[in-house]
Amino acid sequence: MPLMEIKNLEKTYRDESVATQVLKGLSFSINEGEFVAVMGPSGSGKSTLLHVLGFLDAPTGGEYSFEGRLAGSYTDEESAHIRNKKLGFIFQSFNLLPRTTVLENVKLPLSYSGIGEERWEEMAKNAIESVGLSHRSNFEPSQLSGGEKQRVAIARALVNNPQVIFADEPTGNLDSKSGELVMEIIQKLNAEKGHTIILITHETYTAEYAERIIRLRDGSVESDERVAARRFGKNFVK
């Protein structure tokens, strides 16, 4: 059974009398443990698809099933539980709290998790160590480079050990070397830890870290193919 399955998925935004269809009958499935890149130019529907798959928005047509159950059948409480426990999100803009240490930023998702507070520090430190930033735990975001900020964002996404990690243009604000390091970390999370990765990108180089590339154009699937993923590079921080 696929982890995620969408059939004839549609999303239309309405503004007064104007209707804009962003997703136009998408159909595909994603299995647990896959690393999938969703590519396409600006306006192709990539981010809208991420919002639907990540329980941040609902489709206006078609079906989306998660773990064999229609997403629309989950209660608000169940949907929130999925977002907090089973999904992790990494965004281009980092979304870190300023004037708050790396450790406290990474702890943040745990405050909504139902996990006892006595475990938060250990869990956050383990996540920070996994991205090679233990020596920056007490730094604030303003003291970090762009690449370090994104690695903090990855640690924050990992702290609950989610089943799925959504990465939305994670290298968009980074130089090429920092971008390579971030992508190697994400690839290693898939290959060694088994996280399902859904990468949203318009960059071919970034998409090459995935094992499957779904290309969108004008809200439709243009192609869906398996590829030979780029191997880990020498930059990975152990």
Side-chain angles (χ1 to χ4, degrees), residues 28-41:
F28 59 84
S29 60
I30 295 174
N31 295 321
E32 187 165 2
E34 279 198 277
F35 186 164
V36 181
V38 179
M39 287 193 72

Side-chain angles (χ1 to χ4, degrees), residues 71-153:
S73 72
Y74 289 97
T75 65
D76 289 346
E77 184 177 352
E78 288 173 329
S79 295
H81 174 79
I82 290 171
R83 284 193 302 271
N84 292 336
K85 296 286 290 181
K86 296 191 175 186
L87 310 179
F89 297 88
I90 305 165
F91 296 103
Q92 177 178 345
S93 55
F94 317 132
N95 293 347
L96 302 179
L97 296 177
R99 297 181 296 281
T100 304
T101 66
V102 166
L103 183 63
E104 294 303 319
N105 265 286
V106 174
K107 278 185 186 178
L108 188 62
L110 297 173
S111 61
Y112 308 101
S113 68
I115 296 170
E117 191 171 352
E118 70 278 0
R119 295 183 56 200
W120 292 3
E121 184 144 341
E122 179 186 3
M123 292 176 70
K125 285 182 175 178
N126 287 340
I128 293 167
E129 183 180 3
S130 74
V131 297
L133 284 179
S134 295
H135 61 300
R136 295 281 193 264
S137 291
N138 294 317
F139 284 46
E140 295 181 1
S142 62
Q143 298 172 291
L144 304 177
S145 68
E148 288 172 333
K149 289 176 185 176
Q150 193 59 289
R151 285 154 63 189
V152 175

Side-chain angles (χ1 to χ4, degrees), residues 146-187:
E148 288 172 333
K149 289 176 185 176
Q150 193 59 289
R151 285 154 63 189
V152 175
I154 293 172
R156 183 182 55 194
L158 283 178
V159 73
N160 274 334
N161 192 31
Q163 191 173 4
V164 183
I165 296 175
F166 293 96
D168 190 2
E169 302 282 6
T171 63
N173 287 331
L174 306 179
D175 60 59
S176 58
K177 185 175 181 180
S178 297
E180 285 180 20
L181 175 55
V182 163
M183 287 311 305
E184 287 164 16
I185 292 173
I186 291 172
Q187 190 184 49

